[in-house]
């Protein structure tokens, strides 16, 4: 029964991440002159999963969300960008959490910035245009701001939701 309950909660967290991604897609760009900047609302579900369940489960929820978002709202190219960002971001967040190097908000900020870095690396590889890396300046600022906000929201939710699995 415990495995079934855990699987059900993880499925609900995957669904929440997908809903957050859809809601985020409804908003216009935060900065019109800099396309691609988003809040990262699905990361609330990912960070919650990382802290309440663990690394394996957070990767599972993250990649389930990536697959479904790409199928519903994107394409293979957007999947490659998202996959690189999520892999780099979640890997570093897991390491920082394991060694207790930063607060939850600090971990969220690093995740936001590294997600953007992963996407920039894919863009440079796919286009062969190294100058795209200058875009990282804007993305680092937006990743920091959104990382703080997502981290604070995640900390609030993690503190208040008690799971008995």
């Amino acid at each position: 029964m415990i495995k079934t309950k855990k699987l059900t909660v993880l499925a609900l967290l995957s669904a929440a991440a997908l809903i957050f991604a859809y809601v985020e897609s409804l908003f216009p760009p935060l900065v019109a002159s800099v396309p691609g900047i988003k809040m990262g609302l699905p990361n609330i579900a990912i960070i919650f999963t990382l802290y309440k369940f663990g690394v394996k489960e957070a990767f599972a929820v993250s990649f389930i969300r990536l697959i479904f978002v790409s199928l519903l709202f994107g394409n293979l190219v957007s999947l490659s960008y998202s996959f690189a960002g999520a892999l780099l971001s979640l890997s570093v967040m897991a390491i920082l959490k394991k060694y207790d190097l930063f607060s939850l908000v600090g971990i969220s900020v690093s995740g936001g910035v590294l997600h953007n870095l992963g996407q920039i690396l894919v863009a440079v590889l796919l286009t062969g245009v190294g100058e795209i890396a200058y875009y990282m300046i804007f993305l680092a600022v937006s990743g920091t701001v959104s990382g703080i906000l997502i981290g604070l929201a995640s900390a609030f939710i993690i503190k208040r939701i008690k799971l008995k699995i």
Side-chain angles (χ1 to χ4, degrees):
M1 187 64 171
I2 291 173
K3 288 183 181 181
T4 304
K5 189 173 181 181
K6 180 179 177 183
L7 184 61
T8 303
V9 173
L10 292 172
L12 289 170
L13 287 165
S14 298
L18 184 60
I19 290 167
F20 287 148
Y22 174 70
V23 167
E24 190 172 72
S25 75
L26 297 175
F27 292 106
L30 294 175
V31 180
S33 61
V34 187
I37 293 178
K38 295 181 180 180
M39 277 292 298
L41 293 176
N43 288 326
I44 294 171
I46 306 305
I47 292 171
F48 181 88
T49 306
L50 179 65
Y51 274 80
K52 290 291 188 174
F53 289 96
V55 175
K56 254 187 343 188
E57 293 84 353
F59 272 102
V61 169
S62 181
F63 292 116
I64 288 168
R65 175 195 55 94
L66 286 176
I67 298 299
F68 280 101
V69 166
S70 293
L71 288 172
L72 295 171
F73 314 119
N75 54 45
L76 285 176
V77 175
S78 66
L79 176 62
S80 66
Y81 284 101
S82 297
F83 181 80
L87 183 63
L88 184 59
S89 169
L90 193 49
S91 296
V92 171
M93 287 194 303
I95 291 167
L96 294 175
K97 181 186 177 293
K98 178 180 179 179
Y99 293 106
D100 202 27
L101 296 173
F102 292 105
S103 68
L104 187 147
V105 173
I107 290 171
S108 176
V109 168
S110 69
V113 172
L114 287 165
H115 183 86
N116 292 334
L117 178 61
Q119 291 184 322
I120 288 292
L121 292 173
V122 169
V124 169
L125 287 172
L126 290 178
T127 64
V129 179
E131 289 79 10
I132 292 173
Y134 290 117
Y135 192 49
M136 191 60 204
I137 296 166
F138 300 105
L139 294 178
V141 172
S142 72
T144 300
V145 172
S146 65
I148 291 169
L149 296 174
I150 295 302
L152 290 171
S154 298
F156 179 83
I157 293 168
I158 288 167
K159 184 177 180 182
R160 281 161 181 72
I161 294 182
K162 308 293 183 218
L163 292 176
K164 293 178 182 165
I165 295 178

